[in-house]
């Protein structure tokens, strides 16, 4: 285990000038980064072929630290950039890392459309229920009644369920993991990257500094432990009543379907366009239409 | 002062009559087939949906500056409303061509009235191609385009499967116009008694 | 149909000519969102791009379109988007990202009446200063304008070349009149067209510094996936692309962004002068209004007025030298614009000689006519 950690440290981290990183001690982002690196390492993807794009927020800094083709884009827009990269060079493995506010508030429209479009992309969404970097304001996944710097009297809105949102928006693969279940998370990310089509991994993570502190959820260890207590495997959750699931959430693969991937479908468009062009050219030649030439 | 080489045509009618298509075919014939300079503009947006429809051509041997019509040499009016609205800037020695079945009140005697829609209905069997009948007449009477190019441009621009119908319509318009003797028309759109005033 | 045919005279709409220019310049990626009066550009590219192995995608909005074209550009593909006023507002966010990451790309704005939804099917020139200053922060940018179908073709090629050469987004300001006017134009043989491709690094990957200065002030650009793994960020970054707040590095970086454009001034700035040799009055115009101005000066000459015209093709960086000499030469300058005077502000700024400046502004959604300009020339 130590050996592999050392290997990953040497092979995948950018050491000169990028560290120390910006994350608070105990932050779940490091666990996600590690799970992602182990997944990529296990899949033996050449570093040159991996593109990692992020938006803005704590999660947005993740690509800075890892040695791939990395793009730290604008807030909420990681998937739009990833779409351009993937369509321009379909042979690359394109992965985005976003936060909950990033992916489902300012980037919510891009997120559901990316799922509907079904390009061969992977989206990892780190859900810590708050905007950590800007100081703990409420996000689309802040639970009803919670306190944040913009809901000091208790939050009056209701939270998105990111993974379920991805399912109904049409993603080919949707999974949920937590930063407690690090090995499981690694597996989920591997499956997502391998999946042909748009794949989503929602990662339940902790922001003890902002969300946890304001809602008396304890320190990093206590918060991460709570994920262990409240996470239920999808297969088990399916058999539980709504009452039994109260305060709990499911982890594992929520959706895994096969559908045409638009990255490849577009090749058909190219062929159709070329066939049609040949037909038109032949017809023109046959009709002998002669245009003025300089 | 206008350069003598500038010749302006305005096609007008109502939305759905194929006014713009006719103008585009003529522009294509002049520009891409005859190799002259041509500039074509058209009504666009709400103006183009229902109601009046117009398209303009500026034809020149040299470069074309202002792309829209300044003073029209030839006005085609396929409805009374279009005729009333767009007659105002026809040159005094300009030519008005109207669909005789649709424009009853012709504002000048320097006008050619031909039953484009009726020809389309009776000779081709489709009123839809009245625009191409009119185009044939405009092409012939304007003297600005070779009829061969007009035919070629038409074939290149109309939807597949409608080529023959459109070609016949164009020819019917040319035939109808070729019976007109322009020299018998008054020299000005302003009638003699008006000039004398 | 394709882009490899020989020189030929064709009838094209302005929007079609932009497509032909883009393809000739090597554009192989387009992302856009439908909007009047720019939609034809999307429609035609959706047919033409797959034909040449390129990619067309319709995104969920213009923010996404701009993100996608930058992504494609970072992956090494020349890319473009086209929009109009409301969409132009949305692209501003990622336009700034293209500026700071020096991602080459071309943005076409077919101007319509505004503000907001405004006059969707009418012509205007209200986005001139927005094109220059729309995205936040001090940033360099190139803004070009087109007045005819043939310029739609040639200026689009130029836009791609400048964008690739200087690694800067280039905005093409078209307008509804130019976009929908059909004109006969001669398209040159592809072999006669000068195409500039971004300079890629020649050093081994381990030596590559993606934002290092050089004598051109424009760093070599590696594409994602080509072995030169590097970091791209919208944060101010050092020469290796990593975020920095070191005042010295910040200053160096931002100064280079601006100075690379200043250095390229002579190549970037394009104007056209007509009848200026002996002119004592002149019209300074751009876009479709330049066509009206051209007619007006001809008509004025016919009446014995020594009128000339300067057409601005490059709007930003502002062609101050040419404008300055026109101002010194003439006793009066007329500036017709389909806005309340956006370029005339710039002209006032360079008017050291205190020449009389007459604005002519029309914002009712219709093209300024030659007669409106001629009246000013006669009344001087």
């Amino acid at each position: 285990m130590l050996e592999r950690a050392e290997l990953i440290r040497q092979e995948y981290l950018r050491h000169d000038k990028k560290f120390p990183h910006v994350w608070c001690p105990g932050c779940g982002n490091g666990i996600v980064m590690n799970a992602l690196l182990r997944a990529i390492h296990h899949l033996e993807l050449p570093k040159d072929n991996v593109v990692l794009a992020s938006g803005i927020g704590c999660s947005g800094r993740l690509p800075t630290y890892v040695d791939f083709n990395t793009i730290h884009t604008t807030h909420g827009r990681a998937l739009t950039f990833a779409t351009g990269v993937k369509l321009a060079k379909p042979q690359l493995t394109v992965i985005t890392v976003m936060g909950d506010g990033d992916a489902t508030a300012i980037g919510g429209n891009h997120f559901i459309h990316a799922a509907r479009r079904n390009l061969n992309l992977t989206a990892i969404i780190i859900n810590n229920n708050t905007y950590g970097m800007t100081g703990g304001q409420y996000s689309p996944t802040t639970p009803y009644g919670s306190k944040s710097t913009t809901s000091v009297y208790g939050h009056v809105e209701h939270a998105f369920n990111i993974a379920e949102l991805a399912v109904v928006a049409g993603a080919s693969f949707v999974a949920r993991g937590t930063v407690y279940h690090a090995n499981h998370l690694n597996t989920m990310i591997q499956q997502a990257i391998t999946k042909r089509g748009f794949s989503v991994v929602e990662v339940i993570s902790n922001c003890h500094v902002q969300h946890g502190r304001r809602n008396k959820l304890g320190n990093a260890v206590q918060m991460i432990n709570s994920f262990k207590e409240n996470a239920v495997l999808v297969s088990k959750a399916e058999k539980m009543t709504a009452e039994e699931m109260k305060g709990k959430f499911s982890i594992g693969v929520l959706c895994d379907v096969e559908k045409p991937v638009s990255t490849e479908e577009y090749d058909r468009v190219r062929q159709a366009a070329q066939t049609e062009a040949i037909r038109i050219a032949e017809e023109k030649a046959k009709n002998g239409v002669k245009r003025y030439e300089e | 002062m206008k350069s003598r080489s500038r010749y302006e045509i305005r096609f007008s009618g109502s939305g759905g009559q194929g006014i713009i298509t006719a103008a585009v075919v003529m522009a294509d014939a002049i520009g891409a087939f005859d190799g002259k300079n041509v500039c074509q503009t058209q009504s666009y947006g709400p103006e183009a949906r229902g109601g009046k429809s117009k398209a303009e051509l500026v034809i020149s041997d040299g470069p074309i500056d202002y792309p829209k019509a300044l003073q029209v040499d030839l006005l085609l009016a396929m409805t009374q409303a279009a005729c009333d609205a767009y007659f105002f800037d026809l040159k005094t020695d300009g030519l008005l061509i109207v669909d005789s079945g649709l424009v009853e009140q012709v504002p000048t005697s320097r006008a050619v009235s031909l039953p484009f829609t009726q020809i389309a209905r009776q000779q081709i069997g489709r009123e839809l191609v009245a625009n191409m009948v009119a185009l044939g007449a405009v092409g012939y009477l304007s003297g600005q385009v070779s009829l061969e190019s007009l035919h070629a441009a038409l074939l290149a621009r109309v939807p597949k499967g409608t080529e023959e119908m459109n070609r016949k319509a164009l020819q019917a318009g040319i035939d109808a116009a070729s019976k007109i003797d322009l020299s018998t028309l008054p020299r000005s759109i302003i009638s003699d008694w008006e000039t004398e005033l | 149909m394709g882009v490899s045919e020989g020189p030929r005279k064709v009838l094209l709409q302005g929007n079609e000519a932009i497509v032909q220019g883009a393809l000739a310049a090597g554009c192989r990626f387009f992302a856009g969102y439908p909007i009047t009066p720019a939609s034809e550009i999307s429609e035609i590219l959706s047919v033409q791009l797959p034909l040449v192995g390129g990619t067309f995608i319709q995104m969920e909005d213009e923010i996404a379109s701009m993100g996608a074209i930058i992504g494609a550009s970072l992956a090494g593909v020349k890319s473009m988007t086209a929009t109009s006023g409301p969409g132009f507002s949305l692209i501003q966010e990622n336009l700034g990202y293209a500026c700071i990451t020096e991602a080459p790309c071309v943005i076409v704005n077919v101007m319509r009446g505004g503000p907001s939804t405004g006059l969707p099917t009418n012509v205007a020139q209200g986005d001139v200063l927005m094109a220059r200053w729309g995205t936040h922060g001090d940033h360099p940018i190139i803004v070009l304008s087109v007045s005819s179908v043939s310029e739609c073709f040639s200026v689009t090629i130029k836009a791609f070349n400048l964008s690739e050469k200087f690694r800067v987004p280039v905005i093409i300001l078209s307008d509804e009149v130019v976009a929908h006017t059909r004109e006969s134009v001669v398209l040159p043989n592809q072999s006669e067209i000068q195409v500039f491709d971004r300079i890629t690094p020649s050093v081994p990957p381990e030596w590559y510094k993606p934002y290092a200065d050089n004598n051109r002030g424009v760093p070599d650009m590696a594409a994602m996936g080509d072995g030169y793994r590097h970091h791209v960020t919208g944060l101010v970054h050092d020469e290796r692309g990593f975020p920095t707040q070191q005042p010295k590095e910040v200053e160096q970086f931002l100064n280079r962004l601006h100075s690379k454009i200043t250095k390229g001034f002579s190549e970037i700035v394009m104007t056209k002068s007509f009848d200026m040799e002996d002119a004592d009055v002149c019209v300074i115009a751009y876009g479709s209004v330049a066509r009206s101005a051209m007619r007006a000066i001809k008509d004025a000459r016919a009446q014995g007025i020594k009128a000339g015209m300067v057409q601005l093709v490059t709007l930003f960086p502002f062609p101050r030298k040419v404008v300055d000499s026109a101002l010194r030469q003439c006793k009066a300058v007329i500036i017709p614009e389909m806005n309340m005077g956006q370029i005339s502000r710039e002209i006032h700024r360079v008017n050291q000689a205190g020449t009389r400046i007459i604005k002519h502004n029309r914002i009712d959604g219709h093209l300024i006519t030659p007669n409106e300009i001629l009246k000013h020339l006669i009344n001087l």
Side-chain angles (χ1 to χ4, degrees):
Chain A
M1 194 65 196
L2 187 71
E3 212 172 281
R4 184 187 281 183
E6 182 56 23
L7 178 86
I8 284 176
R9 196 182 76 80
Q10 283 184 6
E11 179 70 17
Y12 294 102
L13 297 187
R14 285 171 168 157
H15 291 280
D16 41 349
K17 210 183 163 185
K18 270 67 60 192
F19 291 93
H21 56 68
V22 298
W23 299 323
C24 306
C27 178
N29 284 357
I31 299 171
V32 180
M33 183 169 89
N34 191 29
L36 173 65
L37 291 178
R38 280 185 293 142
I40 290 170
H41 183 73
H42 188 262
L43 293 171
E44 297 179 350
L45 301 173
K47 290 194 286 185
D48 282 335
N49 288 0
V50 176
V51 176
L52 192 60
S54 68
I56 296 293
C58 299
S59 66
R61 295 302 181 103
L62 194 152
T64 318
Y65 310 127
V66 291
D67 187 20
F68 303 113
N69 303 283
T70 52
I71 320 176
H72 177 207
T73 76
T74 42
H75 197 18
R77 320 300 180 207
L79 280 167
T80 71
F81 286 73
T83 299
V85 173
K86 184 69 187 176
L87 287 169
K89 277 207 177 139
Q91 69 272 27
L92 299 179
T93 300
V94 184
I95 303 164
T96 61
V97 181
M98 298 173 282
D100 45 306
D102 199 27
T104 64
I106 192 164
N109 201 29
H110 309 309
F111 178 55
I112 57 172
H113 283 276
R116 172 187 65 76
R117 194 170 282 133
N118 203 35
L119 288 172
N120 196 3
L121 294 173
T122 299
I124 296 169
I125 302 170
I126 306 174
N127 179 3
N128 63 3
N129 310 102
T130 190
Y131 290 92
M133 185 168 267
T134 48
Q137 297 80 9
Y138 65 77
S139 87
T141 57
T142 299
Y144 177 78
S146 295
K147 289 185 172 153
S148 72
T149 51
T150 46
S151 63
V152 289
Y153 305 109
H155 193 32
V156 295
E157 298 170 16
H158 304 277
F160 264 143
N161 182 323
I162 294 178
E164 284 176 13
L165 177 64
V167 172
V168 296
S172 286
F173 177 92
V174 181
R176 192 187 283 120
T178 84
V179 293
Y180 174 83
H181 307 84
N183 280 329
H184 173 261
L185 180 60
N186 167 11
T187 317
M188 292 297 105
I189 293 175
Q190 272 187 46
Q191 282 189 37
I193 294 173
T194 320
K195 178 73 188 181
R196 298 163 55 71
F198 189 71
S199 54
V200 179
V201 181
E202 178 189 2
V203 188
I204 306 297
S205 185
N206 58 301
C207 182
H208 48 284
V209 176
Q210 302 287 5
H211 181 64
R213 180 167 59 92
R214 291 199 175 80
N215 293 285
K216 300 190 168 54
L217 301 176
N219 61 23
V221 175
Q222 287 164 322
M223 279 189 83
I224 293 175
N225 263 327
S226 77
F227 301 152
K228 173 189 166 190
E229 285 149 23
N230 295 324
V232 182
L233 280 173
V234 170
S235 53
K236 200 175 161 197
E238 279 165 358
K239 292 171 196 136
M240 289 166 70
T241 63
E243 190 58 33
E244 287 169 327
M245 278 299 285
K246 203 165 184 194
K248 297 183 182 298
F249 56 88
S250 59
I251 59 167
V253 178
L254 278 80
C255 160
D256 187 355
V257 293
E258 294 300 322
K259 57 171 99 175
V261 179
S262 63
T263 330
E264 289 144 31
E265 290 285 288
Y266 199 75
D267 283 334
R268 273 197 313 114
V269 173
R270 290 200 184 104
Q271 276 168 13
Q274 278 152 19
T275 314
E276 175 68 4
I278 292 166
R279 191 192 65 74
I280 290 170
E282 280 170 354
E283 203 158 277
K284 264 189 195 165
K286 202 174 67 190
N287 291 341
V289 175
K290 182 112 176 82
R291 290 188 175 235
Y292 179 85
E293 277 169 20
E294 285 285 293
Chain B
M1 273 290 168
K2 288 165 63 84
S3 97
R4 257 176 298 157
S5 67
R6 192 175 167 113
Y7 189 92
E8 300 179 352
I9 303 176
R10 180 181 292 139
F11 293 73
S12 69
S14 71
Q17 279 185 313
I19 295 301
I20 289 166
T21 310
V24 172
V25 169
M26 177 120 174
D28 203 13
I30 294 166
F33 291 87
D34 280 350
K36 279 208 263 183
N37 290 323
V38 62
C39 192
Q40 181 263 325
T41 55
Q42 67 206 40
S43 50
Y44 179 64
E47 196 194 352
R49 298 200 176 134
K52 291 190 294 288
S53 172
K54 87 171 165 179
E56 293 174 349
L57 253 63
V58 179
I59 305 154
S60 173
D61 298 326
I64 295 166
D65 39 53
Y66 187 64
K68 301 192 179 206
L70 290 165
Q71 267 201 298
V72 177
D73 292 275
L74 191 155
L75 171 67
L76 169 74
M78 294 287 283
T79 63
Q80 186 68 53
C83 185
D84 297 345
Y86 297 125
F87 176 70
F88 71 99
D89 57 356
L90 185 66
K91 280 184 185 169
T92 49
D93 61 348
L95 180 66
L96 174 67
I97 302 177
V98 301
D99 185 312
S100 55
L102 299 169
V103 181
E104 287 172 0
Q105 294 180 331
V106 183
T108 172
S109 48
R110 188 173 157 73
V112 173
S113 282
L114 286 168
F116 300 124
T117 308
Q118 194 192 328
I119 292 172
R121 187 169 56 235
Q122 291 177 352
Q123 295 185 23
I124 318 296
R126 294 287 298 275
E127 269 188 23
L128 191 73
V129 291
N131 62 336
M132 290 303 154
V133 182
L135 174 62
V138 170
Y140 183 88
L141 294 172
S142 68
Q144 295 292 317
V145 64
S146 84
L147 300 177
E148 195 190 355
S149 295
L150 204 53
H151 270 292
L154 176 105
L155 288 179
R157 289 266 171 183
V158 296
K160 213 171 133 39
T162 67
E163 294 95 337
E164 187 53 22
M165 176 175 75
N166 279 294
R167 193 197 60 75
K168 277 187 187 161
L170 186 75
Q171 192 56 50
I174 294 170
D175 293 343
S178 63
K179 297 185 184 99
I180 304 283
D181 182 2
L182 288 181
S183 64
T184 61
L185 294 179
R187 271 173 317 193
S188 170
I189 58 168
I190 303 166
S191 49
D192 291 344
W193 65 268
E194 272 180 309
T195 339
E196 279 159 18
L197 281 177
Chain C
M1 195 98 188
V3 290
S4 57
E5 292 169 26
R8 61 211 197 280
K9 195 156 193 173
V10 288
L11 185 77
L12 293 179
Q13 255 190 350
N15 279 346
E16 283 178 286
I18 284 179
V19 167
Q20 293 300 331
L23 292 172
C27 174
R28 291 296 177 270
F29 185 86
F30 178 94
Y33 186 84
I35 189 165
T36 301
S39 295
E40 292 89 355
I41 297 176
S42 280
E43 289 168 3
I44 302 165
L45 276 166
S46 78
V47 175
Q48 301 264 306
L49 270 173
L51 210 56
V52 292
T55 308
F56 164 88
I57 188 168
Q58 186 170 306
M59 296 299 286
E60 52 274 16
D61 56 33
E62 289 86 350
I63 299 172
S65 305
M66 193 62 206
I69 70 162
I70 298 170
S73 180
L74 294 175
V77 176
K78 291 188 190 179
S79 48
M80 177 173 95
T81 188
T83 186
S84 186
F88 196 55
S89 291
L90 291 190
I91 66 120
Q92 296 300 331
E93 178 194 63
N94 284 332
L95 181 62
Y97 188 88
C99 290
I100 199 169
T101 59
E102 301 175 70
C105 54
V106 172
I107 300 100
V108 180
N109 175 8
V110 183
M111 289 186 285
R112 68 189 219 185
S116 190
T117 313
L119 295 161
T121 57
N122 288 69
V123 69
Q125 296 179 316
D127 307 343
V128 171
L129 289 181
M130 188 199 185
R132 176 62 191 92
W133 296 112
T135 195
H136 62 273
D138 278 311
H139 60 278
I141 206 152
I142 296 174
V143 183
L144 309 177
S145 67
V146 289
S147 75
S148 68
V149 174
S150 111
E151 279 178 6
C152 283
F153 181 76
S154 59
V155 169
T156 302
I157 295 171
K158 186 78 181 177
F160 273 96
N161 287 349
L162 292 175
S163 181
E164 292 285 312
K165 187 156 194 182
F166 294 96
R167 288 190 61 177
V168 65
V170 176
I171 292 166
I172 300 173
L173 289 181
S174 178
D175 60 53
E176 189 278 319
V177 167
V178 177
H180 291 140
T181 296
R182 285 186 185 82
E183 287 186 88
S184 47
V185 289
V186 179
L187 298 185
N189 196 314
Q190 181 71 31
S191 61
E192 289 163 22
I193 296 168
Q194 278 201 330
V195 172
F196 189 92
D197 297 331
R198 66 191 68 169
I199 296 172
T200 51
S202 48
V203 295
E206 57 273 23
W207 294 1
Y208 179 53
K209 287 181 182 166
Y211 293 92
D213 200 357
N214 55 28
N215 57 356
R216 297 182 298 119
V218 185
D220 298 346
M221 186 172 178
M224 300 264 148
D226 280 2
Y228 291 83
R229 295 187 307 278
H230 63 281
H231 187 58
V232 177
T233 176
L235 290 164
V236 169
H237 39 271
D238 60 21
E239 59 180 20
R240 291 175 313 158
F242 295 112
T244 181
Q245 288 178 304
Q246 298 280 337
K248 208 178 155 196
E249 288 180 335
V250 172
E251 193 187 6
Q252 262 179 9
F253 170 68
L254 291 174
N255 279 341
R256 182 178 60 72
L257 281 194
H258 287 88
S259 67
K260 69 178 179 182
I261 301 299
T262 328
K263 280 183 194 169
F265 208 80
S266 61
E267 195 174 341
I268 297 167
V269 171
M270 297 174 288
T271 58
K272 294 178 179 176
S273 295
F274 302 93
D275 288 344
M276 282 300 288
E277 295 75 18
D278 63 339
D280 58 12
V281 292
C282 89
V283 185
I284 301 178
Y286 57 94
S288 54
V289 177
R291 306 285 290 267
S292 314
M294 181 69 122
R295 178 85 229 163
I297 62 158
K298 280 187 201 163
D299 291 350
R301 286 260 166 192
Q303 296 187 28
I305 300 165
K306 284 183 180 171
M309 180 182 97
V310 176
Q311 182 198 338
L312 309 179
V313 178
T314 303
L315 298 181
F316 297 101
F318 189 69
R320 65 174 297 152
K321 278 185 194 164
V322 175
V323 169
D324 184 53
S325 75
L327 285 163
R328 285 173 197 279
Q329 179 184 334
C330 298
K331 64 178 189 215
V333 166
I334 294 153
I335 307 154
E337 291 184 86
M338 291 183 288
N339 56 48
M340 288 308 284
Q342 299 193 8
I343 279 293
S344 69
R345 271 171 198 261
E346 293 295 314
I347 294 172
H348 270 290
R349 201 166 59 82
V350 286
N351 186 18
Q352 303 289 335
T355 305
R356 188 174 164 205
I357 290 176
I358 299 154
K359 297 198 308 171
H360 180 81
N361 308 105
R362 183 166 182 178
I363 53 168
D364 64 352
H366 290 273
L367 177 59
I368 291 172
T369 63
N371 264 339
E372 291 169 47
I373 301 168
L374 183 63
K375 271 182 202 156
H376 287 288
L377 289 167
I378 291 170
N379 291 337
L380 278 171

